[in-house]
Amino acid sequence: MDGLLTLKMDFQQNGVENIQVFLQYLTSEMKQLNRESLVIWYDAVTVEGKLEWQNSITDLNNAFFKCCDGIFLNYTWQDWQLQLTRDLSFDRITDVLCWYRCFGLVVV
């Protein structure tokens, strides 16, 4: 029972606050059902309600990270953004998921 919560749209400020409350509630409820469950936030929406990938933990998405079990960073990160993420995640660095998207050319 794990979940990756992905919201890719702009929100008004009260919507952002509701998302944070929902994340805390969902995480808590999931832990009651299965203490090993994970609720992971996808790096897409900022605390300003904008659809704006950060590619790292920043002041604009850290509040969401704090509300659940982890964060899944967008794939266009650069080395300096991973360093920033390490610095801002403190003792939760293992709760940060990174990926890299590879585009290939197929020659037939």
Side-chain angles (χ1 to χ4, degrees):
M1 287 191 183
D2 297 336
L4 172 64
L5 188 60
T6 304
L7 302 174
K8 294 182 181 179
M9 56 190 288
D10 291 329
F11 287 88
Q12 294 181 0
Q13 190 58 42
N14 65 338
V16 171
E17 293 161 5
N18 289 337
I19 292 169
Q20 291 176 41
V21 170
F22 174 72
L23 279 174
Q24 291 170 333
Y25 173 78
L26 179 62
T27 303
S28 173
E29 291 296 308
M30 291 297 293
K31 294 293 182 214
Q32 288 181 28
L33 292 172
N34 179 353
R35 64 184 180 92
E36 294 181 5
S37 68
L38 297 172
V39 176
I40 307 296
W41 176 257
Y42 179 62
D43 164 37
V45 178
T46 69
V47 294
E48 296 171 341
K50 297 177 182 172
L51 177 60
E52 190 174 84
W53 292 270
Q54 299 299 295
N55 303 312
S56 66
I57 294 178
T58 69
D59 292 338
L60 293 174
N61 65 10
N62 199 12
F64 299 117
F65 176 56
K66 291 178 179 178
C67 291
C68 58
D69 297 308
I71 189 168
F72 190 63
L73 299 180
N74 190 47
Y75 67 90
T76 58
W77 49 264
Q78 296 179 24
D79 290 346
W80 67 270
Q81 291 168 310
L82 294 181
Q83 177 66 40
L84 177 63
T85 294
R86 189 182 73 182
D87 294 345
L88 292 177
S89 63
F90 301 105
D91 62 342
R92 293 189 61 200
I93 190 62
T94 57
D95 298 334
V96 177
L97 305 170
C98 302
W99 66 297
Y100 188 78
R101 187 170 184 178
C102 298
F103 297 93
L105 176 64
V106 177
V107 180
V108 183

